[in-house]
Amino acid sequence: MITLNVNGKPMSVDADPDTPLLWVLRDHLGMTGTKYGCGMALCGACTVHVSGQPARSCSTSLAAVAGKRITTIEGIGQTKEGRVLQEAWIANDVPQCGYCQSGQIMSAAALLAKVKRPTDAEIESAMSGNVCRCGTYNRISLAVRQASRNLK
Amino acid sequence: MNEFGIINLSRRDFLKAGAGLTLGVTVPSLAQMPGQGGRSVVAAGALEPNAFVRIGTDNTVTVIVKHLEMGQGTYTGLPTLVAEELDADWGQIRVEGAPADASRYNNLFLGALQGTGGSTALANSYEQMRKAGAAARAMLLAAAAERWNVAPDSITIARGAVMHLPSNRRTNFGQLAASAAKLPVPKEVQLKDPKDFALIGRRVTRTDSRAKSNGTAIYTQDVKLPGMLTALVAHPPRFGGKPKSFDAAKAKAVKGVVDVVAIPQGVAVLAHDFWSAKKGRDALAVEWDESGAFKLGSAEIMAEYKNLAATPGLPARKEGDLPGAFARAAKTLEAAYEFPYLAHACMEPMNCVVKLSADACEIWNGEQFQSIDQPEVAAVLGMKPEQVKLNMLFAGGSFGRRANPHADYLVEAVQIAKGIDGRAPVKLVWTREDDMRAGHYRPMYYHALKAGLDAQGNIVAWQHRIVGQSILAGTAFEGMMVKDGIDATSVEGAANLPYAVPNLGVELHSPKMGVPVQWWRSVGSTHTAFSTETFLDELAAAAGKDPYQVRRTLLAKSPRHKTVLEMAATEADWTTPLVSARVGDRRGRGIAVHESFNTVVAQVAEVTVKRDGSYRVDRVMCAVDCGLAVNPDVVRAQMESGIVYGLTAAMYGAITLKDGVVEQSNFHDYMPLRMNEMPRIGVYIARSSEKPTGVGEPATPVIAPAVANALFAATGKPIRSLPIRIQT
Ligand code: FES
Ligand code: FES
């Protein structure tokens, strides 16, 4: 049994320590908001926060996050960055197929938690690890800027 | 039953708990598929009703949407049509995906078939869904008139409120639903005059944005049934390979692995969860039978295509006297173009959940082609198509992939479930690598173009030879869309070249290769728009003419093309020279226009080429004529989306084979465009009161030639193969 804290709740998991956090969340804890896109830290669909830092959960083992504080898309709305981002995402109808968007919002939330008013270049560098095959990038950067302005 | 066939289903078996009024619309005389020349099929049982609207006593309006939501906005567009005629409040609209039932949910542009594709979802539903909404409105209105004992025409309905203003009475749909359900369906309904539209033509917010922003939207990947096993499949390394033998001992020793079964497609490892199945598959030893495997590489395939292009193909179009025109031409130009295989690479790799019982098969899937999937799955199981129940979930992208003409990944999932005798529900999951290497690619193509100019530089002759696999050969569509050996999807965009050229020939070779191919967002136009639009710029350059003005002249009789062309050029300030930000940078502007799926798109791309030969696309101005834009913001989103998808392919897209083995596997070697490479995009929608046409695909094919033409303008060197490589 390995324990971790997910969205403020302590949870214990009976899985091999080498299991990626992504599959722990999805298959063992039944939290499916975090998505699988590549399994190789190339697309960002699986982005979560580990101790406040963005991490690709497909390439982060359970052992590495034992006892750590994890935030996922299911919990990010409880933070002020997550809330303004989700509002901006909806206001601008950012999602198309939507499959990449959990990861996009998690990367954006990590950015805004660190830099309240990011420059365009900072947005670009924080978000370029997240692939969107539907091509919602321009709306994503618009929504991040709008969320940043709404962040008190 | 009235003239357009709306009947009241409330008292039939479609009535669900909490539902007051359910309306169905019968299949009208089937529309013809545009461009397919008068095909008209009447579905068997055309009087069978199909339900589109459900008004609950809780005042919700549920719209049953017959088309897959894969990002393109069907779960917003189709409900908008119903809500408009119903005068509903947008906030009371709910959406439900339709079940598989082609007698009620067929695509009116695909005859009797139920499916989503060819940018038809909104276009084929435009009147059908409005009528469903209008009929519901009429019944609610009649119920209110009866309840209040007033004349129906003294009642007003607006934004979900039903009012009798003279007596200041007011109610809502929910309170009227039960009594409206007892009323007959009106004999006929009057659709609104477009000038009275309150929702159509304006932006309403997407119905799926919230669920897709908080992680609650459910995709196939997220389905979990009690006792379900996750399956990964070891596939043969080459197309056409088969499992010969395997040793499951090591795989079965992995904790969590439950079973290993051979299926025609490979060897499946079933486990309680993905990671165990993955480790099990890694441990599996399989020997492959490669006697029927395809072993050519991309270079060999292209060499063969090149040879074929030197010989005449089957005629797809013939105008005037081509040999005579070439003989008389003052100048002749030739160019050849090469296109690689392309994977769809949807963000959600293919997957499928199957639950088998003795007399039924239930499937959860980003379901795109019910009328193919039902019989294909049924054939594997020895069932009747209607025993296959299909649950249509959100799809994490498709771009054509999920409408597989052989139901490939569904059949694979069903084979696994059958392989364990249906003991447990099965979720087949493809890894990104499986998805990338599974084939069903946009085919490779080779184009040879030759044109003759007269002394004034006018184009007097145009010969276009296309070589590439037929997408439709061997599919259910072969009989319908392959005529005299010409696969319509191989030559679309070339055979209907819009330019006024007097002597013109388009020919096709359709060699067979063992690589499975499939339609890919905008299908034939993915290559024909590129070769025709870049060759035209080469001809303009050879004649010393402006490529925009050349197009304007040649499109004098194509008003829709001309309009969007002029819009894009104007928005881009075509005549104002571009300035370079840095010494040594070269800038260029390129234009392209192309019609696909009855929608015309023009784009102007602006590029900067640096000294080291690297380039970036700075800005794209995109103009579109898609008839009436039901939701202008969704139209904009689809233009943006198509541009990114097409630009990704133009800059990076290539699936290559070496000795029959696919060389790419994941996003490091099949690269997607990322945010830091994004151009600014402006979208301009032509005003139109014509019926809406599709927007999911038509922006895709235009961007590659627009960018290539911009690079040609910047460097003077034409781009003749994709993905783009700049010669320094
Ligand atoms: S799934 Fe983790 S980065 Fe792609
Ligand atoms: S919205 Fe589809 S991949 Fe981003």
Side-chain angles (χ1 to χ4, degrees):
Chain A
M1 283 287 190
I2 294 177
T3 52
L4 49 163
N5 182 303
V6 184
N7 298 328
K9 287 190 213 95
M11 296 187 176
S12 38
V13 183
D14 181 17
D16 267 5
D18 74 343
T19 308
L21 175 60
L22 170 65
W23 300 107
V24 170
L25 291 168
R26 293 183 55 84
D27 287 351
H28 295 269
L29 299 174
M31 301 170 73
T32 57
T34 306
K35 299 298 192 228
Y36 165 75
C38 70
M40 284 181 64
L42 296 166
C43 78
C46 65
T47 307
V48 299
H49 299 177
V50 177
S51 309
Q53 296 299 314
R56 309 296 187 218
S57 65
C58 69
S59 307
T60 307
S61 70
L62 174 58
V65 295
K68 298 238 166 92
R69 192 163 49 83
I70 318 285
T71 309
T72 70
I73 187 68
E74 286 88 352
I76 199 68
Q78 306 302 317
T79 68
K80 57 183 192 305
E81 295 83 20
R83 198 173 49 248
V84 291
L85 282 163
Q86 286 173 335
E87 280 163 13
W89 245 245
I90 295 163
N92 293 289
D93 279 334
V94 171
Q96 288 188 26
C97 85
Y99 194 81
C100 73
Q101 300 296 345
S102 296
Q104 304 281 3
I105 288 177
M106 294 308 290
S107 289
L111 169 68
L112 290 191
K114 206 163 76 185
V115 194
K116 213 164 154 182
R117 300 272 184 275
T119 61
D120 287 359
E122 284 170 321
I123 293 174
E124 232 175 68
S125 90
M127 300 303 296
S128 286
N130 286 78
V131 171
C132 175
R133 285 291 282 154
C134 297
T136 64
Y137 298 120
N138 285 357
R139 284 178 192 234
I140 289 171
S141 61
L142 184 79
V144 173
R145 277 178 273 144
Q146 195 180 90
S148 144
R149 284 195 299 274
N150 293 340
L151 205 54
K152 298 280 149 18
Chain B
M1 190 69 199
N2 50 19
E3 50 141 9
F4 52 84
I6 291 186
I7 65 161
N8 191 337
L9 299 174
S10 305
R11 281 152 288 170
R12 292 182 157 212
D13 50 349
F14 302 109
L15 184 64
K16 296 200 183 163
L21 172 63
T22 303
L23 285 179
V25 179
T26 57
V27 183
S29 64
L30 292 158
Q32 292 158 2
M33 187 165 169
Q36 300 312 314
R39 228 163 20 80
S40 170
V41 193
V42 176
L47 298 179
E48 204 63 38
N50 50 9
F52 291 116
V53 189
R54 188 163 65 236
I55 297 176
T57 48
D58 61 356
N59 200 34
T60 56
V61 174
T62 302
V63 177
I64 292 95
V65 175
K66 64 179 183 175
H67 290 296
L68 173 67
E69 174 58 85
M70 46 187 153
Q72 84 284 38
T74 50
Y75 277 24
T76 303
L78 270 61
T80 301
L81 303 173
V82 171
E84 176 68 65
E85 297 288 346
L86 183 56
D87 284 319
D89 185 79
W90 188 241
Q92 71 189 130
I93 299 290
R94 303 288 179 272
V95 182
E96 208 175 276
D101 180 354
S103 69
R104 295 189 286 164
Y105 298 117
N106 60 318
N107 183 327
L108 303 182
F109 288 176
L110 297 181
L113 302 180
Q114 182 179 359
T116 306
S119 296
T120 59
L122 191 100
N124 95 92
S125 308
Y126 186 57
E127 280 186 359
Q128 185 179 46
M129 296 303 273
R130 287 171 65 204
K131 283 176 178 173
R137 181 187 188 279
M139 293 169 77
L140 291 165
L141 190 130
E146 211 175 274
R147 179 169 305 174
W148 291 331
N149 198 17
V150 299
D153 62 3
S154 63
I155 292 173
T156 316
I157 305 184
R159 302 191 64 174
V162 184
M163 298 164 287
H164 185 248
L165 297 173
S167 63
N168 204 18
R169 276 178 292 190
R170 187 187 173 97
T171 185
N172 65 27
F173 295 173
Q175 286 164 340
L176 292 168
S179 38
K182 298 193 186 88
L183 298 173
V185 177
K187 283 268 176 289
E188 58 186 60
V189 291
Q190 188 78 44
L191 293 182
K192 283 185 185 174
D193 187 318
K195 74 172 173 14
D196 299 324
F197 284 160
L199 298 173
I200 293 176
R202 288 164 211 255
R203 180 187 173 210
V204 297
T205 53
R206 288 181 67 117
T207 58
D208 53 356
S209 283
R210 184 172 299 275
K212 287 175 175 178
S213 300
N214 63 19
T216 58
I218 297 296
Y219 304 81
T220 307
Q221 192 83 5
D222 306 328
V223 172
K224 191 167 190 178
L225 303 177
M228 185 182 83
L229 298 175
T230 296
L232 263 73
V233 175
H235 295 102
R238 292 180 174 85
F239 300 110
K242 285 196 291 267
K244 187 193 272 173
S245 62
F246 63 96
D247 179 358
K250 285 200 187 113
K252 282 187 172 163
V254 172
K255 196 175 130 215
V257 171
V258 175
D259 214 339
V260 176
V261 293
I263 56 171
Q265 295 83 354
V267 181
V269 178
L270 296 104
H272 290 297
D273 60 278
F274 174 90
W275 194 245
S276 304
K278 166 89 165 53
K279 286 202 285 190
R281 185 177 73 170
D282 291 347
L284 188 69
V286 187
E287 215 189 306
W288 302 101
D289 168 5
E290 298 212 298
S291 53
F294 181 77
K295 291 188 177 147
L296 292 184
S298 292
E300 286 118 49
I301 298 172
M302 198 55 93
E304 200 175 317
Y305 288 5
K306 234 178 244 187
N307 288 338
L308 272 173
T311 65
L314 292 173
R317 185 170 166 195
K318 237 179 182 164
E319 305 278 343
D321 166 25
L322 204 51
F326 275 120
R328 284 189 303 274
K331 198 174 190 178
T332 302
L333 280 97
E334 287 185 65
Y337 296 83
E338 298 184 11
F339 302 90
Y341 287 116
L342 292 174
H344 301 75
C346 312
M347 208 63 222
E348 178 189 20
M350 297 305 107
N351 47 26
C352 182
V353 175
V354 180
K355 190 177 153 196
L356 283 187
S357 60
D359 55 359
C361 170
E362 186 166 5
I363 287 180
W364 288 259
N365 178 33
E367 180 56 47
Q368 192 171 356
F369 219 154
Q370 291 85 348
S371 290
I372 294 289
D373 295 341
Q374 268 189 322
E376 290 284 342
V377 165
V380 172
L381 299 168
M383 289 182 179
K384 293 199 198 72
E386 53 281 16
Q387 287 172 285
V388 178
K389 184 179 173 198
L390 300 170
N391 297 290
M392 182 172 70
L393 305 182
F394 283 134
S398 172
F399 317 114
R401 181 62 180 87
R402 290 172 210 272
N404 183 274
H406 309 288
D408 68 326
Y409 65 92
L410 285 88
V411 164
E412 184 170 313
V414 169
Q415 290 282 12
I416 300 166
K418 191 182 157 195
I420 59 162
D421 301 317
R423 283 195 307 276
V426 170
K427 181 200 279 183
L428 165 70
V429 178
W430 280 1
T431 61
R432 174 59 59 197
E433 291 80 5
D434 294 325
D435 189 89
M436 198 67 82
R437 293 179 162 161
H440 301 287
Y441 303 129
R442 194 288 304 270
M444 277 176 70
Y445 288 98
Y446 184 84
H447 289 212
L449 279 119
K450 186 174 157 190
L453 303 179
D454 66 14
Q456 289 75 45
N458 299 310
I459 306 169
V460 291
W462 175 284
Q463 181 185 282
H464 191 168
R465 251 179 219 160
I466 299 174
V467 185
Q469 283 168 265
S470 162
I471 293 171
L472 299 176
T475 74
F477 303 93
E478 185 166 1
M480 220 184 279
M481 291 172 72
V482 181
K483 297 224 170 72
D484 303 322
I486 302 289
D487 178 335
T489 69
S490 297
V491 295
E492 61 186 354
N496 54 337
L497 188 81
Y499 301 117
V501 177
N503 305 289
L504 187 136
V506 180
E507 298 171 17
L508 176 67
H509 288 280
S510 306
K512 290 198 182 9
M513 289 289 157
V515 181
V517 293
Q518 196 176 324
W519 34 67
W520 184 103
R521 198 176 192 174
S522 83
V523 200
S525 292
T526 58
H527 50 106
T528 58
F530 188 81
S531 62
T532 56
E533 285 297 275
T534 55
F535 190 50
L536 190 66
D537 268 41
E538 289 198 42
L539 299 182
K545 294 182 181 179
D546 177 272
Y548 163 54
Q549 295 301 342
V550 165
R551 284 177 175 78
R552 278 192 71 218
T553 313
L554 291 171
L555 292 169
K557 291 203 180 101
S558 305
R560 292 178 78 206
H561 286 78
K562 197 158 168 259
T563 301
V564 291
L565 188 77
E566 288 171 353
M567 281 171 74
T570 306
E571 294 298 340
D573 291 321
W574 180 260
T575 48
T576 313
L578 289 164
V579 285
S580 302
R582 231 174 290 200
V583 184
D585 282 1
R586 287 167 295 174
R587 300 204 67 204
R589 201 185 262 133
I591 194 163
V593 60
H594 190 78
E595 174 181 354
S596 56
F597 308 99
N598 298 319
T599 292
V600 196
V601 173
Q603 289 167 15
V604 173
E606 293 169 358
V607 301
T608 300
V609 182
K610 305 217 179 68
R611 260 198 230 175
D612 61 3
S614 67
Y615 68 97
R616 75 168 284 138
V617 181
D618 304 309
R619 190 168 81 135
V620 178
M621 308 309 262
C622 172
V624 53
D625 178 348
C626 56
L628 183 106
V630 169
N631 187 324
D633 196 55
V634 171
V635 173
R636 269 192 287 279
Q638 283 314 296
M639 293 300 113
E640 293 160 8
S641 177
I643 288 167
V644 175
Y645 202 73
L647 187 55
T648 299
M651 292 177 71
Y652 303 119
I655 289 285
T656 55
L657 304 179
K658 188 162 188 278
D659 303 328
V661 177
V662 175
E663 295 184 285
Q664 292 71 26
S665 61
N666 208 315
F667 289 133
H668 62 294
D669 51 15
Y670 191 77
M671 282 176 29
L673 195 80
R674 292 172 184 270
M675 187 185 277
N676 57 338
E677 300 159 303
M678 276 299 287
R680 282 177 289 136
I681 297 174
V683 177
Y684 307 89
I685 304 171
R687 254 179 209 288
S688 171
S689 50
E690 297 296 318
K691 282 186 189 169
T693 54
V695 293
E697 299 173 84
T700 309
V702 190
I703 185 67
V707 168
N709 286 340
L711 291 168
F712 180 42
T715 65
K717 293 187 182 126
I719 309 287
R720 291 178 181 163
S721 77
L722 290 178
I724 291 167
R725 277 183 200 94
I726 306 259
Q727 315 147 25
T728 42

